[in-house]
Amino acid sequence: MDPLPSLLSLLLLFLAFPLFPSSASSQQLEPVLDAEGNSLLTGTKYYVVSVIGGAGGGGVTIGRPLTGICPMAVIQENIDVWYGYP
């Protein structure tokens, strides 16, 4: 079997790939907004909390999950007023 056709096909594939950008790279990404509708800023600390007060959970923190499978995980605080880590 002659490897030349396979080699040419592979070469054409690599040459054509940059000509057809993926849809993800050509889409305009929407910014992530804070509770007031402002774009999040790089290098700024934010707390992730529920927007529903009294919903029974606070912010996110690092802790041990109830299953015990993972040694540490990102979990939600049990009390609304505990904001967890930024």
Side-chain angles (χ1 to χ4, degrees):
M1 182 170 186
D2 187 14
L4 190 56
S6 298
L7 210 58
L8 285 175
S9 297
L10 188 61
L11 181 63
L12 286 174
L13 179 65
F14 282 114
L15 289 176
F17 187 76
L19 299 176
F20 304 107
S22 69
S23 61
S25 65
S26 62
Q27 289 180 348
Q28 180 67 26
L29 300 176
E30 295 292 324
V32 177
L33 306 178
D34 65 12
E36 296 172 353
N38 301 316
S39 295
L40 297 187
L41 302 173
T42 304
T44 303
K45 294 180 180 184
Y46 294 91
Y47 290 93
V48 179
V49 295
S50 174
V51 295
I52 303 169
V60 294
T61 190
I62 298 172
R64 298 196 183 279
L66 296 177
T67 60
I69 295 171
C70 297
M72 297 298 276
V74 176
I75 60 172
Q76 185 178 19
E77 291 283 4
N78 295 329
I79 301 174
D80 289 358
V81 294
W82 293 351
Y83 285 179
Y85 291 109

